[in-house]
Amino acid sequence: MIVISDLRIAILGLGYVGLPLGLALSRHFRVFGYDSNPIRLRELRQNVDSTSETSSYTLEHSKITFLEDIKDAQDCNVFIVTVPTPIDSNNIPDLSALCAACRDIGSVLSSGDIVVFESTVYPGVTENICGPELESSSGLQCGSGFFLGYSPERINPGDRSHTVETVCKVVAGQTKGVTELLERIYGTALSAGVHVAPNIRTAEAAKVIENAQRDVNIAFINEVAMIFKNMDIDTGDVLAAARTKWNFLDFEPGLVGGHCIGVDPYYLAFGAQQAGHEPDVILAGRRINDAVASFVVDQIANMLRPSSRILVLGLTFKENVSDLRNSKVAELVTLLTQKGFQVSIHDPRAARLQAKAFYGIDLAEDLDESYSFDAVIGAVGHKEYRALDSSKLLRMVKNDGVIADLKGIWRAYDFPPPIRYWRL
Ligand SMILES: NC(=O)c1ccc[n+]([C@@H]2O[C@H](COP(=O)([O-])OP(=O)(O)OC[C@H]3O[C@@H](n4cnc5c(N)ncnc54)[C@H](O)[C@@H]3O)[C@@H](O)[C@H]2O)c1
């Protein structure tokens, strides 16, 4: 068994999850970082993190060694996999990055090494898919030649209080010895403690239900928001009242994008179907949340004349991050454009090149040049938009225009008629 003083950890996938984890581990152990995207590696070598999760100062002073070739990880004895686990166009888990990472690791795996997966999956993927993939690429046998572990990542990008170091880490190993080593590694580097799950499948299941539970809860609030629109009741007022009960679960209506909450329930649903269970609640939640953009567009379109000019504030998948992946605002923009509206989009955090590459969207340079719209849609609750005062907002719209506030960030303002204020 590997001893702590001999540890050489390789991290595969240096994105939102892998980079902060690698940096945290590198404060205590020898850590090597590998990413299959050479552009990502180049920026990290230049102490730049385009995900904005890590400062240049931290990168400059880190002890992590970035590898351009996986062959240079030959001497590593613990491999941690943090590659993407997206879905395909039919909402089926796409495990291609995970399998590619396994093949890469297999090419450098030695007897006694440990491979830990942090990517979100459904129960069984680590042992039934990754294990065999590692076996065939390494020629070693899983459980005797090399060993598996799973430790789900629970970070919340953009959130400076729930970081990799401050959230309890769930770990599970294929054997007692592996579990103990993982407990030791994560327990040394992260301050919030370690929870040992009884086996790998349990740890995989814990992660995937955390996000599916969130999705279903948001779907419930989105559904009641749709119901209350028909009843002419303000959902924000209903939630403020309901929240006064001690056990009311506090969720807000809104678009559900990104590549975790809107994706992971499909992993659980796929796993459920494989196990012979049709997951009604999980998939119903997905259907509701996926329908929010078109619900919002229909509501706003009913308040506007054809060809109206609309300013959309925010494009990232959630507030205070630069992450544009699976942004439901992009879908909202497409639907508005299809209805014949002229749409401008602004986002102070999104990278212009990425907005163009991902969605063909040219972001507006500056808010000041964009005034006098028929409608302003507050789509993302970035700090910059929360800080807009009502007079500035009023200058952006015509005096009989619409202010649509998807996140309820301007609900305290008193907009004078004939301005029409709409919120979810
Ligand atoms: N971002 C989050 O908030 C979050 C939170 C918890 C869990 N997760 C899970 O963690 C995993 C990683 O997510 P992320 O947000 O860090 O993704 P990401 O896209 O930010 O980063 C993944 C990195 O892996 C690299 N990569 C892809 N294939 C590779 C391969 N075969 N070998 C080496 N590198 C490869 C990519 O170039 C990219 O830099 C996913 O399973 C995700 O569901 C993400």
Side-chain angles (χ1 to χ4, degrees):
M1 182 49 71
I2 303 159
V3 291
I4 284 277
S5 54
D6 289 344
L7 264 184
R8 289 169 70 86
I9 302 173
I11 313 256
L12 279 87
L14 300 172
Y16 282 87
V17 166
L19 180 65
L21 177 75
L23 291 170
L25 291 171
S26 70
R27 290 182 196 114
H28 305 269
F29 308 109
R30 249 350 237 121
V31 174
F32 301 81
Y34 170 74
D35 197 291
S36 58
N37 178 356
I39 298 169
R40 177 67 173 160
L41 274 179
R42 195 180 322 133
E43 68 172 38
L44 293 177
R45 281 177 185 284
Q46 291 166 356
N47 301 320
V48 174
D49 174 18
S50 57
T51 68
S52 310
E53 292 297 305
T54 307
S55 69
S56 294
Y57 179 88
T58 306
L59 278 170
E60 209 178 313
H61 292 88
S62 89
K63 292 193 184 127
I64 191 164
T65 307
F66 295 114
L67 305 178
E68 252 154 47
D69 191 338
I70 192 66
K71 295 277 174 281
D72 295 331
Q74 190 95 43
D75 294 339
C76 290
N77 41 22
V78 171
F79 295 82
I80 301 183
V81 181
T82 52
V83 300
T85 43
I87 43 173
D88 68 13
S89 55
N90 296 314
N91 298 327
I92 304 294
D94 172 0
L95 301 176
S96 53
L98 203 60
C99 291
C102 289
R103 288 191 293 275
D104 271 345
I105 294 170
S107 70
V108 292
L109 206 60
S110 306
S111 184
D113 289 354
I114 297 172
V115 188
V116 185
F117 294 85
E118 293 222 2
S119 300
T120 307
V121 293
Y122 55 88
V125 168
T126 300
E127 287 160 305
N128 302 338
I129 294 176
C130 299
E133 197 77 51
L134 286 161
E135 280 184 332
S136 59
S137 49
S138 68
L140 296 168
Q141 211 176 352
C142 185
S144 54
F146 68 91
F147 302 90
L148 297 172
Y150 187 78
S151 179
E153 186 49 68
R154 302 158 118 184
I155 53 152
N156 185 22
D159 179 344
R160 297 292 170 245
S161 40
H162 298 105
T163 64
V164 63
E165 277 153 312
T166 62
V167 178
C168 175
K169 201 86 172 88
V170 173
V171 299
Q174 194 172 13
T175 64
K176 196 162 172 281
V178 172
T179 306
E180 281 169 6
L181 185 73
L182 297 185
E183 218 183 331
R184 190 91 195 271
I185 294 173
Y186 287 111
T188 303
L190 317 176
S191 62
V194 172
H195 173 93
V196 176
N199 51 52
I200 288 173
R201 290 159 62 81
T202 304
E204 292 171 321
K207 168 64 195 182
V208 77
I209 70 155
E210 285 167 14
N211 283 355
Q213 182 193 60
R214 218 175 143 66
D215 193 50
V216 165
N217 278 302
I218 297 168
F220 172 75
I221 298 294
N222 276 331
E223 182 156 43
V224 298
M226 292 171 187
I227 295 168
F228 294 152
K229 279 289 170 215
N230 284 353
M231 294 178 169
D232 205 17
I233 297 171
D234 186 290
T235 304
D237 292 343
V238 174
L239 294 178
R243 231 176 251 137
T244 60
K245 194 187 172 200
W246 71 93
N247 59 358
F248 183 76
L249 302 180
D250 196 8
F251 288 89
E252 298 267 342
L255 301 167
V256 183
H259 77 310
C260 286
I261 307 292
V263 168
D264 299 347
Y266 287 121
Y267 272 69
L268 181 55
F270 183 84
Q273 285 159 345
Q274 298 267 298
H277 176 88
E278 194 52 35
D280 292 335
V281 173
I282 298 161
L283 290 179
R286 281 285 68 240
R287 269 199 308 281
I288 299 266
N289 285 342
D290 274 348
V292 174
S294 102
F295 174 80
V296 167
V297 167
D298 287 346
Q299 293 266 316
I300 295 172
N302 282 339
M303 300 165 81
L304 295 171
R305 285 178 290 273
S307 311
S308 289
R309 289 177 62 238
I310 300 174
L311 172 64
V312 174
L313 296 181
L315 180 62
T316 59
F317 89 89
K318 72 167 187 176
E319 64 278 6
N320 305 326
V321 297
S322 57
D323 195 345
L324 283 169
R325 292 173 298 174
N326 191 24
S327 162
K328 292 293 161 188
V329 184
E331 186 184 330
L332 182 121
V333 168
T334 304
L335 294 170
L336 288 169
T337 310
Q338 281 167 358
K339 284 191 182 287
F341 298 117
Q342 301 168 59
V343 188
S344 302
I345 304 111
H346 175 267
D347 194 309
R349 301 199 175 226
R352 300 175 58 76
L353 280 174
Q354 250 185 19
K356 185 74 178 170
F358 283 21
Y359 303 116
I361 286 176
D362 288 307
L363 288 173
E365 291 270 357
D366 190 340
L367 268 184
D368 292 336
E369 294 170 3
S370 331
Y371 289 179
S372 251
F373 285 88
D374 297 292
V376 169
I377 302 178
V380 180
H382 288 321
K383 281 185 194 132
E384 293 84 344
Y385 298 144
R386 286 178 190 271
L388 286 172
D389 59 30
S390 58
S391 58
K392 188 149 191 190
L393 270 170
L394 286 170
R395 286 209 305 278
M396 290 181 196
V397 276
K398 292 182 176 158
N399 61 2
D400 63 343
V402 171
I403 295 179
D405 183 6
L406 266 64
K407 304 299 293 179
I409 56 177
W410 305 311
R411 68 169 60 122
Y413 296 163
D414 223 356
F415 296 110
I419 288 280
R420 287 155 297 158
Y421 175 69
W422 180 96
R423 71 185 195 212
L424 244 183

